[in-house]
Amino acid sequence: MSSSAIRESVRGIREEIGHFRRHLDRLFDWWGVEFQDRPTQTVSYPAMNVWQDGESVYVEAELPGIKLEDLEISVTGGTLLTVKGSRAATPPDQAECCGQERAVGSFDRSIELPVSVDASSVEAHLEDGVLSIRLPGSPDSRSTRIAVKAG
Amino acid sequence: MAVSAAAGKKAPNAETAHPAPSAESYTPRVDFYETPDELVLQFDLPGVKADGIDLRMERDTLMLHGRVAPRTQQAESVRTEYGVGDFYRSLSIPVEIDTAGLAAELNLGVLTVHLPKHERAKPHRITVKAG
């Protein structure tokens, strides 16, 4: 099985879990217990917001409890951004777990960028649990005016 | 023979408060633990700074409001998978708390709250003599 096939099947499983989770959320809403109500259009972790202007692509993700040095950020082929990392639960000494809603474990998410970027000048910073990445467009991805000669 | 009398083994009830927020607001995810001496709550609060946190205990209810500064980029949106707004949550705490010992710290967008148990709520070992 190729790694992309595995990734696809993992994505499928995650989607199934997401449907089940939403179903459970509705069920718990009914009973007045609510585990989370953040709007999630995707169950992939972490959720990402992306913007672009003429110069760069900007990607933001919420990753509380993670240090920048524990993240692996890479760009493949100029347009595929990958963010990898993991988060462990941090129970206090002598604790018994009473309830856990926060995501733990490893994640590996790739998204397609709207334009080709220059992987050598990517800037990332993580502040208060929010990851911000700026990816400058590669020179050839910026729109170039094509001179049309009169025939 | 030893009998241990523990008060409040129950987890806090997950209840969500909606104190009339004007903008979009979100319920932060929480992990909760109980140790012999305290309850420990860990909230994911990405984008919240220490001075943006309002945490209060009223009777048996812990109320949390985390302010999040807007951070929309001045650019064309390509993909929006999550919303940004303040965090609100209130939890009823099923154990009597020593409110003088409340403590909280914020690290990497995670708020850890320590709720020390009141003496009355701690387990006490009772020695039973043979008659």
Side-chain angles (χ1 to χ4, degrees):
Chain A
M1 208 175 183
S2 73
S3 67
S4 68
I6 292 168
R7 207 174 297 132
E8 270 315 305
S9 64
V10 167
R11 192 167 297 148
I13 292 164
R14 282 187 183 149
E15 266 163 25
E16 280 305 311
I17 294 170
H19 292 317
F20 181 59
R21 174 91 203 216
R22 280 191 288 278
H23 180 74
L24 275 184
D25 284 346
R26 274 198 300 277
L27 197 66
F28 283 120
D29 280 349
W30 176 253
W31 289 100
V33 179
E34 199 170 355
F35 279 102
Q36 61 105 9
D37 67 355
R38 308 208 73 188
T40 41
Q41 292 165 14
T42 170
V43 293
S44 302
Y45 188 88
M48 291 180 174
N49 287 348
V50 182
W51 299 266
Q52 68 172 332
D53 58 18
E55 296 291 316
S56 300
V57 178
Y58 307 88
V59 178
E60 191 201 81
E62 293 182 329
L63 287 168
I66 292 174
K67 292 183 187 129
L68 191 57
E69 54 264 37
D70 296 334
L71 279 179
E72 196 183 313
I73 300 165
S74 58
V75 175
T76 312
T79 57
L80 189 74
L81 171 73
T82 301
V83 178
K84 276 191 216 184
S86 69
R87 183 169 82 157
T90 51
D93 291 342
Q94 289 186 283
E96 40 188 277
C97 187
C98 295
Q100 197 170 52
E101 297 175 355
R102 299 162 64 231
V104 290
S106 58
F107 53 86
D108 177 352
R109 178 147 198 229
S110 298
I111 59 165
E112 202 71 38
L113 299 170
V115 296
S116 180
V117 299
D118 177 6
S120 62
S121 49
V122 172
E123 293 164 22
H125 77 275
L126 191 55
E127 194 181 352
D128 304 321
V130 179
L131 172 70
S132 311
I133 310 172
R134 190 175 82 88
L135 307 109
S138 60
D140 58 337
S141 76
R142 293 180 193 158
S143 60
T144 329
R145 196 189 170 93
I146 299 161
V148 179
K149 285 180 198 164
Chain B
M1 190 182 144
V3 179
S4 113
K9 271 269 146 262
K10 256 175 26 189
N13 296 321
E15 284 176 5
T16 307
H18 295 287
S22 51
E24 258 193 298
S25 70
Y26 298 95
T27 305
R29 292 184 182 215
V30 66
D31 288 351
F32 31 85
Y33 300 97
E34 181 173 357
T35 76
D37 296 323
E38 61 176 5
L39 300 185
V40 178
L41 299 149
Q42 296 170 344
F43 294 92
D44 274 345
L45 295 177
V48 176
K49 297 195 180 298
D51 61 6
I53 291 175
D54 181 7
L55 186 67
R56 55 186 74 199
M57 186 88 198
E58 269 184 37
R59 286 188 214 91
D60 63 346
T61 304
L62 181 78
M63 284 177 287
L64 169 66
H65 173 203
R67 271 199 313 280
V68 176
R71 50 176 195 266
T72 309
Q73 307 267 352
Q74 294 299 310
E76 179 198 344
S77 177
V78 178
R79 180 193 282 261
T80 306
E81 294 182 346
Y82 63 90
V84 173
D86 287 5
F87 291 105
Y88 285 95
R89 188 142 190 190
S90 81
L91 295 163
S92 30
I93 306 299
V95 176
E96 198 177 348
I97 298 302
D98 174 13
T99 48
L102 288 175
E105 72 254 358
L106 183 68
N107 188 25
L108 302 171
V110 178
L111 178 73
T112 302
V113 181
H114 298 271
L115 303 169
K117 291 180 189 172
H118 196 280
E119 275 306 316
R120 282 195 293 269
K122 286 183 187 171
H124 290 284
R125 199 180 161 95
I126 298 159
T127 310
V128 180
K129 288 178 198 163

